[in-house]
Amino acid sequence: MTPLHQILSIARAGNPARAWALFRSAGWDARPDDRKALTLKGRLLKDQAKAASGADRAWLYGEAAEAYAAAAALERDSYPLINGATLALLGGRPERAHLLARQTLALLESDPAQGENVYWRAATRAEALLLLGDETAARAALADGISKLPRAWEDHAATIGQFELILAEQGKDAGWLDPHRPPPSLYFSGIIGLDEAAATILQDIDAIIAREQPGFGFGALAAGADILIAEALHKAGAELHVILPYPVDRFRELSVEPFGDHWLVRYDALVEAAVRLDVLTELPDEEERSIGVAVELADLVAMGQCVRNAGVLKSRPKAFTITGIDDTPRHQHLVWADTGHDQSSISVARKADHQSITAPSGEKRREIAAILWVDGLDRDVLSQLPEDASAFRSAGDAQYMISTNIAELLSISRSLLQQNADSRISVLIDIMDPQRPAASLLEQAGDMARASSGGAVLTDYKSAMILTLEPGRHAVEEIGEIQTAPGPLPLWKLA
């Protein structure tokens, strides 16, 4: 019998159809006395409902609601009970939703220990009140919960997403939720050789931070604009998420130290202050990357982190950059502009003695590209693709192709999944020579594909962040990690 935790992992990996098939074949759907099985049944049916439409969608939501309600009946718990109530509404059964919502309120009144914490207790009460049509009381309960745990951003966002579904089903305006949304996320960047002594630069930075009121900042810490913006964000109380293209000491040596000792202590302080620090390191068989392409890759990851964080928190992603007067836009700025998200900028004079960073490597062939790896798929299937199958290369039983056109690779991966839902596919974005990629990159792409149970495109963390910027606003989700030769590799799926 396939254990429940394994079935849940398969569902989280983006293959709900296979998870449901295993759930049924193992006989879990015939276990009305098992609370965990019933809760997972509700989750799996809800996943199917999201992908369905019309009468099928309503029926699946209704079945999911009953599975959650049955789990709550076995052990009185507000979590499955309120889920059952909301899914009953989405399934077109408002009377059933009202009944379960009233039971939720009664349970909360009788058991002070209900709810994971004080926020979830208040949010669950607010959701039940909203289902019963008492919007005034629901607003008050939600505000009370948020006031008790004001920085539980992800919890707030989950509630807002649930309330949006309820209000849409009720035909009501959701605008009152906006003041409760977590603050915006901000991607920041800019030039190195600015004149930090210019009269208005610090005031201009502070004015933009005060206007946008970001709660989270994503960027690097090069001397100049990066550090000035990061300091302003930290002073304003925003969480600082730093992404560096080289290890901390190497980046300090290349992008901070040459521009004056006064930047070093500020760099070190911001590294210490960062809530999260990510470093893009080379694999063992790679040469050190040239700084231009390394910075571009780190910028793309930081942009993706910003967009994803805003998406998870149901808030807004924004960008802030400092450019030199009369500079032409960098590629990264054009990428952000293509996302359609807000961007602020200021232009400043460069120092007269400004010098560009010297590239650490004379190697020029490498660029940002993506590997599409397909494991265990017959080449005859590849030949049926509308794209040119000759672009694929063989690696044992696997096939792979490399391109700087990431959108094209994503289109091909979707075509493969449509033809064979069990395809084991990975996409890896990194710096490489497309004609002669490092063996370690190919090995990593193959490891990820082989870890797949089929039905989804798997990728690593940095690639997942970059993929959020591609047209179509792809959703990504972390599903675990695998062990590879260089060490553990976080594994993500592309929805």
Side-chain angles (χ1 to χ4, degrees), residues 360-372:
S361 170
E363 192 270 321
K364 301 294 184 184
R365 294 171 298 171
R366 290 189 291 173
E367 56 190 323
I368 296 173
I371 301 171
L372 169 61

Side-chain angles (χ1 to χ4, degrees), residues 125-354:
R125 183 171 183 272
E127 188 170 342
L129 290 166
L130 190 61
L131 288 165
L132 291 168
D134 192 347
E135 187 176 302
T136 301
R139 291 190 187 200
L142 179 60
D144 177 60
I146 289 175
S147 71
K148 289 174 177 173
L149 283 177
R151 297 181 72 87
W153 305 124
E154 290 195 24
D155 293 346
H156 302 171
T159 300
I160 287 170
Q162 194 85 328
F163 281 27
E164 285 175 332
L165 291 174
I166 294 169
L167 290 165
E169 188 69 23
Q170 293 174 337
K172 296 179 180 178
D173 179 42
W176 62 270
L177 293 170
D178 290 342
H180 297 304
R181 294 183 188 277
S185 298
L186 185 77
Y187 157 68
F188 63 91
S189 64
I191 62 173
I192 285 183
L194 53 74
D195 183 358
E196 68 269 22
T200 64
I201 186 169
L202 294 181
Q203 294 94 317
D204 290 343
I205 291 172
D206 286 341
I208 289 177
I209 298 300
R211 184 188 72 204
E212 303 298 346
Q213 296 187 315
F216 317 89
F218 299 83
L221 295 176
D226 285 357
I227 286 180
L228 293 182
I229 298 173
E231 287 176 336
L233 286 165
H234 184 53
K235 182 177 68 175
E239 290 186 3
L240 198 58
H241 297 248
V242 173
I243 175 76
L244 300 180
Y246 299 104
V248 173
D249 289 343
R250 181 60 170 152
F251 187 77
R252 188 180 193 269
E253 177 186 353
L254 290 172
S255 299
V256 184
E257 186 177 332
F259 303 96
D261 291 346
H262 64 291
W263 291 111
L264 295 176
V265 64
R266 299 163 77 174
Y267 171 80
D268 294 341
L270 289 168
V271 167
E272 278 294 313
V275 170
R276 174 171 178 147
L277 175 65
D278 288 303
V279 173
L280 302 182
T281 56
E282 295 91 355
L283 290 168
D285 59 342
E286 289 187 271
E287 299 175 2
E288 187 174 68
R289 299 156 174 182
S290 62
I291 196 161
V293 71
V295 167
E296 182 178 350
L297 182 68
D299 272 344
L300 291 173
V301 174
M303 283 188 250
Q305 289 175 324
C306 176
V307 170
R308 182 175 187 274
N309 192 64
V312 168
L313 298 183
K314 305 292 182 183
S315 63
R316 293 161 295 159
K318 300 186 176 187
F320 174 28
T321 187
I322 298 177
T323 65
I325 295 173
D326 297 327
D327 280 4
T328 56
R330 292 193 300 162
H331 174 67
Q332 294 92 311
H333 302 152
L334 299 176
V335 170
W336 185 269
D338 285 344
T339 68
H341 298 306
D342 293 345
Q343 181 169 201
S344 301
S345 65
I346 57 176
S347 295
V348 301
R350 294 179 182 271
K351 283 185 174 180
D353 61 350
H354 163 64

Side-chain angles (χ1 to χ4, degrees), residues 63-139:
E63 291 295 297
E66 292 311 305
Y68 276 119
L74 291 175
E75 182 178 328
R76 304 304 285 171
D77 185 347
S78 59
Y79 170 77
L81 199 54
I82 194 62
N83 270 282
T86 294
L87 292 173
L89 177 70
L90 298 179
R93 300 179 62 193
E95 297 84 2
R96 179 63 169 161
H98 293 167
L99 174 63
L100 295 175
R102 285 193 293 269
Q103 291 178 4
T104 302
L105 290 175
L107 180 58
L108 292 172
E109 290 298 323
S110 65
D111 183 1
Q114 280 295 313
E116 182 179 331
N117 53 43
V118 290
Y119 169 75
W120 278 117
R121 180 179 174 83
T124 300
R125 183 171 183 272
E127 188 170 342
L129 290 166
L130 190 61
L131 288 165
L132 291 168
D134 192 347
E135 187 176 302
T136 301
R139 291 190 187 200

Side-chain angles (χ1 to χ4, degrees), residues 12-14 304 307-308 311-312 314 410 414 456-459 463-479 492-495:
R12 286 175 173 167
V307 170
R308 182 175 187 274
V312 168
K314 305 292 182 183
L410 290 177
R414 284 192 293 269
V457 177
L458 300 192
T459 190
S463 304
M465 296 304 103
I466 296 172
L467 289 170
T468 65
L469 304 171
E470 285 297 307
R473 306 282 170 84
H474 303 282
V476 293
E477 179 183 350
E478 187 173 12
I479 58 174
W492 291 64
K493 78 174 179 71
L494 180 66

